Amino acid sequence: MNAGVEWALHSCLNLTWIEPGETVTATKLAAFYDLPAAYLNKQLQALAKAGILASTSGPRGGFRLARRPEDITLLDVVTAIEGREEAFRCNEILRQGPGGRADVDYRAACLISQAMSGAELAWRKELAGRTIADLKAAVEVAFPSTPESTRHHLANV
Amino acid sequence: MNAGVEWALHSCLNLTWIEPGETVTATKLAAFYDLPAAYLNKQLQALAKAGILASTSGPRGGFRLARRPEDITLLDVVTAIEGREEAFRCNEILRQGPGGRADVDYRAACLISQAMSGAELAWRKELAGRTIADLKAAVEVAFPSTPESTRHHLANV
């Protein structure tokens, strides 16, 4: 998994704390963690393409969340950055084995493939069961000064 | 995840069906699925290093399972090939953020890192809960001719 997932999750979370109607530039989001702005911008564009962020142009342009934090799961963010492909890719090697058939979809028929997909499903379910709003709430309990500090550092002045 | 995981899982499963005391060469295990023998051999060596396979040399040398199929989980095989590193690697970007501290382990403290590790744990638990023996039993129910066919094709004659 590329480092962009970590950056994207933190950026989405930070954007929950800006003032309504505000946006933040890629440069500012990158400076927050001293990240390379051009590469972070690529992740932010991917999040925008997935409908997680909205971007506006112009002198006060930048990024904001495109939907409520309750409606953005961790899986949404991971998928926006990494794509939908499973980590275990079944290459259907059974087809080349004894008795292998051209007309069978071994991604479905192979019990090894099924077991690996089952594990991946468990991973996806965990990520789909957590939202940016859950993270926001947990951070606000554990680190009460974070919202104000983040808002201050990202303020588009 | 590299294709070697698929090859390793199928090879371990196939080795459950050979006669006790027999071994199978990397060349034969590769030919079974028309895989590149040199690359499969690398995976088999990794499985041997992890104590999943035992290898013997000599004219009748080759690989066999080093322990009972009940004692080999899918996670054992995946870890032998892919290593122990988590798919999501926390780079602790909070340390570079406002108020970031050098003396905090953000892999433990960061709630995003915790959430991502939790999902990975769910994946590992699934894989740790399935053994090569489970796969063997399921295949023998679904495809009763597989054990005999596999034994025949791998026979070290």
Side-chain angles (χ1 to χ4, degrees):
Chain A
M1 205 177 289
N2 85 67
V5 171
E6 181 180 12
W7 305 357
L9 288 166
H10 280 280
S11 296
C12 287
L13 181 57
N14 287 340
L15 286 171
T16 66
W17 289 309
I18 64 172
E19 298 289 348
E22 283 292 315
T23 63
V24 185
T25 61
T27 307
K28 263 205 161 152
L29 285 165
F32 196 86
Y33 294 121
D34 197 16
L35 302 173
Y39 189 42
L40 177 64
N41 190 51
K42 275 183 61 177
Q43 322 301 329
L44 299 173
Q45 297 293 348
L47 293 171
K49 203 175 153 200
I52 294 168
L53 299 186
S55 68
T56 53
S57 48
R60 287 183 65 81
F63 293 91
R64 59 178 173 76
L65 294 182
R67 46 190 210 250
R68 297 185 317 151
E70 290 80 355
D71 298 330
I72 304 169
T73 70
L74 303 199
L75 185 61
D76 292 335
V77 176
V78 170
T79 304
I81 304 299
E82 289 283 312
R84 292 186 181 282
E85 206 167 330
E86 299 206 349
F88 177 82
R89 243 189 307 178
C90 171
N91 293 303
E92 305 190 62
I93 64 172
L94 284 180
R95 184 167 296 139
Q96 273 82 254
R101 287 166 51 174
D103 62 339
V104 171
D105 180 353
Y106 289 102
R107 288 165 301 182
C110 172
L111 296 172
I112 287 175
S113 192
Q114 286 176 24
M116 294 303 288
S117 286
E120 198 127 334
L121 191 63
W123 178 77
R124 279 172 205 277
K125 271 189 183 164
E126 281 285 313
L127 293 180
R130 301 288 290 273
T131 67
I132 296 293
D134 296 333
L135 284 178
K136 171 177 148 73
V139 168
E140 289 175 1
V141 168
F143 309 100
S145 66
T146 292
E148 178 52 36
S149 156
T150 304
R151 188 178 302 118
H152 172 75
H153 278 89
L154 293 179
N156 207 4
V157 289
Chain B
M1 205 178 287
N2 87 67
V5 171
E6 182 180 11
W7 305 358
L9 288 167
H10 279 280
S11 296
C12 286
L13 181 57
N14 287 340
L15 287 171
T16 67
W17 290 308
I18 64 171
E19 299 290 349
E22 283 292 315
T23 63
V24 185
T25 61
T27 307
K28 265 209 157 147
L29 285 165
F32 195 87
Y33 294 121
D34 197 16
L35 301 174
Y39 190 43
L40 177 64
N41 190 51
K42 274 182 62 177
Q43 321 302 330
L44 299 172
Q45 297 294 349
L47 293 170
K49 203 175 154 201
I52 295 168
L53 299 185
S55 69
T56 52
S57 50
R60 287 184 63 81
F63 293 91
R64 59 177 173 77
L65 294 182
R67 46 191 210 247
R68 297 184 317 149
E70 290 81 354
D71 297 330
I72 304 170
T73 71
L74 304 199
L75 185 61
D76 292 335
V77 176
V78 170
T79 303
I81 304 298
E82 289 283 312
R84 292 186 181 280
E85 207 167 328
E86 298 208 348
F88 176 83
R89 243 189 308 175
C90 171
N91 293 303
E92 305 189 62
I93 64 173
L94 284 180
R95 184 167 296 140
Q96 274 82 254
R101 286 164 51 173
D103 62 340
V104 171
D105 180 353
Y106 288 103
R107 289 166 300 181
C110 173
L111 296 172
I112 287 175
S113 191
Q114 286 177 22
M116 295 303 289
S117 286
E120 199 127 335
L121 190 64
W123 177 79
R124 278 171 206 278
K125 271 189 183 164
E126 281 286 312
L127 294 180
R130 303 287 291 275
T131 66
I132 295 293
D134 296 332
L135 284 177
K136 170 176 150 76
V139 168
E140 289 176 0
V141 168
F143 309 100
S145 66
T146 292
E148 178 52 36
S149 158
T150 303
R151 190 178 301 118
H152 172 75
H153 278 90
L154 293 179
N156 207 6
V157 289

